Every structure is written in structure tokens, then in C-alpha cells.
Amino acid sequence: MDFSFSEEQQAAQEAARAAFSKVAPDAVPSPAMTSRAVAEDFDRALWQQLAQSDLLGLVVPQEHGGSGLDLAALCLVLREAGRVLARVPLLETGAAALTVAAYGSEELRASLLPRIADGTCAVTAASAGGSGHERPELAVTVRQQGGSWVLDGVQTTVPWAQTAELLAVPAHTPEGAPVLAFVGPGAEGVGLAEQFSTNGERYAEVRLDAVRVPAGELVTAPEAAGHLHRLLCTGNCALAAGLAGQVLEMTSAYVSERKQFGHPVATFQAVAVQAADRYIDLRAMEATLWQAAWHPSPEHVAVAKSWAADGVRRVVQTAQHLHGGAGADVDNTLHRFHAWAKQLELSAGPAAAHEEALGDLLCGQENAATEDNRRKDLANTSAG
């Protein structure tokens, strides 16, 4: 079996490298030097450049103006974005496009996907629920009223909610069925309370008070909300892998140049062992990422996210240690990567939450298998 990337996927990666080649991680103020957001909006100039490079329509079906590629291609692009700390909602928009393409009505696909592909509609997504410790669809209720739907509830830490054109909001019906609604941030009944993330980006707590959503802007397929969340988790892993890879390269270059006792510190055994451990972390992050990207089942996504959360934290902590005091200096780019790593570690759930979810999934499978075997034994006994 050939596990290499296709020519189309590799071409997308090369286009992303070109688009991100001029992005400077320190193009905005340091999050350590401001008590508010580092900028009022995401990088609109970069967003338009991504649109011109056909990267925003990467996963949009061809009949709606995109390239029709898959999650693996999106993750290749996101990995490049993570290397430069690109300040764009590429993950959220791409995940929303994949979800709408898979589960949305023809009306919604025709109205939304072409606008995503040409860069005129940036989509953000709620993934933390009302508290950050619950499934996001449980934080919002939706009820049908006439020819529209009405949303009530709260979603916290929604990135770029103030400036994105649409918010993807998971919710649940009175019967408990999960749905996915697309809401404009300026819609009547939408309240946005300012929040600021660890990496200095502008977030918001989104309050929905009897917000009306036309039936055509709601995805009622029960799989859609969970699918979106798994895509966000997987894309988060890709961003973390890109960031960790860049930090490991920065650290390797630094310890090769810095000298103590007349020798590069990279030649010291303790330094080499720490760097080797972090390389193993990075390879594990990438291996589990691609498994999840090719088959985003709940189990694979939980494994990938737990490795990404713990791995990216260990990589930046070791980098800070090996850089000494230089790594904490706000004039050094490394401290920005540390802030972004902490944000990625906790976004869409920390490692412990995904390990707990994985345990529940494995227990459920074991219980189901045990029950199935019991039924087979009873059937065999009856037949005998």
C-alpha cells in the first residue's frame, strides 16, 4: 500500500510554503507586551493571498469553485501555517467547508462554499461549549419556530468571532439531536463579549438570545456537529506539528552555534538526549496526525490530539530550557511560539480530556464485544 501524498496534495503544500514564505511571526506586537489582542482582526492581506493561491478552496468541491481535495491536504497546508504562526482562520473555515460539503443541503452548499473558495466568507467555529469542558452542541438549544430555527445559549472562546463573516455554532434540539447552525456575528440577538487568548488573538464569548436562523442555514444531519469537532481537533494537531517542527529547527540551530567551554552545547550529551526526545515527540505527533487525517474516527482523533497537546508543550519547554534566558526575551521569536503552543495545547480539549474520551470509547467497544459474544454463546446453546 502506498502511503505517500498524492501529487495534488504535494502541490498544495508547495503553494502553502510559497504563500507563507513572507509571513513574519513577529509582525504584530508580542502577546507578552499587551493586555489586549495583538490586532483587531486576522491577517486580511494574507487571507486574500491564500484566496489568490486557491488555498481557501482547497477542500471545496470542484462544482462549487474549489479543488475538491481532502482533510490530509488541508492538514499539509495547516502544518505550514503553524510554522509561521499564521494569523488566519484557515482551520475553522476549512473544517466548516468539509462539513458543509459532507452534510449540508444543496442550498447551503451552493450559497456558502463558493464564497469560502473565493475568500469573501471567513468562517469561525465554536468548539469549547459554554465552559470549555463540555461538548459544544450541549451549550446551545435550538427550536423550530415557523419556517426558521431559534438559538439560545452561550459558546465561549470563539476565535475571531467579531470579524469573521459567519459563525458555525453547534446546538441541540429539545429531543437532544445535535445540529449545526451558521450565524452572522451581527445578527439580532447575538452578543459578543471580548476575550483574549494566550497567543494574543481576539476571541469572544458568544451569547445567543432568541437568534433566528433560516432553515437553509442549518445542518440537521446528526453527524455534522461531531464531524466538525473532529476536523477542528485534527487541524489543531497539524498546526501543533508545524509549530513544533519549526521550534525544533530553531533549537537545533541555536545549540549548534552557542558555545560553552569552547564547544557547541549541541555536543554535550545532556543536550543531545533532550533534543532526541523531542524529535521522537515530533515524529509521534506526525504519525498520529496523518492517521487521523486519513481516517478521522473518534479513536484516531483522540490519540492524535493527546499526542499533539503533550508533544507541543514538551517541545517548546525543552526549547526554552536549551535557549537559556534568551528564549524568554521578548526580542526573541521563541517566546511567541511558546504562547501559541500553550494555546494549541488546550484548544479543542487538552490531552487529559481526549485520553478520557479514548478510554470511554475503548470501554464501550469492549462492552459491546462482550455483549455480542454473550449473545452468540446463548444462540449456540439454544441451537445445541
Side-chain angles (χ1 to χ4, degrees):
M1 185 176 290
D2 184 6
F3 289 102
S4 59
F5 296 109
S6 68
E7 292 183 6
E8 292 82 2
Q9 291 168 337
Q10 293 179 55
Q13 183 180 29
E14 291 301 319
R17 284 177 179 167
F20 293 128
S21 62
K22 296 181 180 179
V23 176
D26 55 358
V28 293
S30 164
M33 302 299 290
T34 177
S35 60
R36 294 182 58 82
V38 296
E40 290 299 304
D41 197 1
F42 58 85
D43 191 337
R44 290 283 178 174
L46 176 58
W47 190 253
Q48 290 307 312
Q49 186 176 354
L50 295 174
Q52 294 167 8
S53 302
D54 296 326
L55 290 171
L56 297 184
L58 193 68
V59 296
V60 172
Q62 293 180 350
E63 61 267 27
H64 296 295
S67 302
L69 297 184
D70 57 5
L71 176 59
L74 177 61
C75 286
L76 283 169
V77 174
L78 289 170
R79 190 171 61 169
E80 298 303 318
R83 293 179 66 88
V84 297
L85 310 183
R87 299 177 42 259
V88 286
L90 184 59
L91 165 57
E92 294 82 5
T93 301
L98 282 167
T99 304
V100 170
Y103 298 106
S105 65
E106 183 54 44
E107 176 187 357
L108 181 60
R109 292 198 296 268
S111 65
L112 178 56
L113 294 178
R115 292 190 291 142
I116 288 178
D118 66 17
T120 58
C121 184
V123 183
T124 188
S127 63
S131 65
H133 301 285
E134 62 184 336
R135 297 205 314 271
E137 66 269 18
L138 298 181
V140 177
T141 60
V142 59
R143 65 185 189 278
Q144 201 163 10
Q145 193 173 85
S148 60
W149 295 79
V150 180
L151 300 174
D152 291 283
V154 177
Q155 294 281 357
T156 192
T157 59
V158 181
W160 294 297
Q162 297 90 339
T163 56
E165 279 70 40
L166 277 180
L167 316 177
V169 180
H172 68 279
T173 67
E175 296 75 27
V179 299
L180 185 63
F182 288 89
V183 181
E188 184 177 355
V190 176
L192 303 175
E194 289 278 354
Q195 294 179 321
F196 310 110
S197 66
T198 302
N199 62 353
E201 299 301 339
R202 194 179 181 196
Y203 279 46
E205 179 185 74
V206 179
R207 293 189 171 272
L208 305 158
D209 184 11
V211 177
R212 289 187 173 273
V213 177
E217 296 177 9
L218 197 84
V219 181
T220 56
E223 304 87 359
H227 185 71
L228 174 65
H229 192 262
R230 291 193 297 275
L231 295 179
L232 291 171
C233 289
T234 306
N236 180 281
C237 296
L239 290 170
L243 184 152
Q246 179 65 21
V247 168
L248 203 58
E249 290 181 15
M250 293 165 59
T251 305
S252 176
Y254 181 78
V255 298
S256 297
E257 296 170 357
R258 180 187 172 196
K259 292 185 178 181
Q260 284 188 351
F261 311 112
H263 300 280
V265 297
T267 62
F268 299 166
Q269 185 179 28
V271 172
V273 168
Q274 291 183 68
D277 285 343
R278 299 297 77 83
Y279 176 75
I280 292 172
D281 276 334
L282 178 60
R283 293 306 301 270
M285 290 169 65
E286 291 180 337
T288 54
L289 161 65
W290 298 124
Q291 183 170 344
W294 273 305
H295 182 48
S297 67
E299 297 89 346
H300 291 163
V301 171
V303 171
K305 186 60 173 71
S306 66
W307 267 106
D310 281 343
V312 74
R313 171 175 48 79
R314 288 193 291 258
V315 167
V316 296
Q317 285 178 343
T318 297
Q320 289 281 16
H321 175 65
L322 296 182
H323 274 76
D329 191 336
V330 295
D331 290 329
N332 190 309
T333 307
L334 180 61
H335 83 283
R336 297 173 182 266
F337 283 86
H338 200 160
W340 274 73
K342 178 55 66 175
Q343 180 68 28
L344 291 174
E345 176 192 350
L346 302 178
S347 295
H354 286 275
E355 288 165 357
E356 182 179 356
L358 180 62
D360 292 340
L361 288 166
L362 294 176
C363 287
Q365 291 174 359
E366 183 178 351
N367 291 338
T370 301
E371 178 63 19
D372 187 52
N373 290 333
R374 187 185 71 83
R375 289 175 180 173
K376 289 179 180 178
D377 289 342
L378 287 174
N380 291 334
T381 302
S382 300

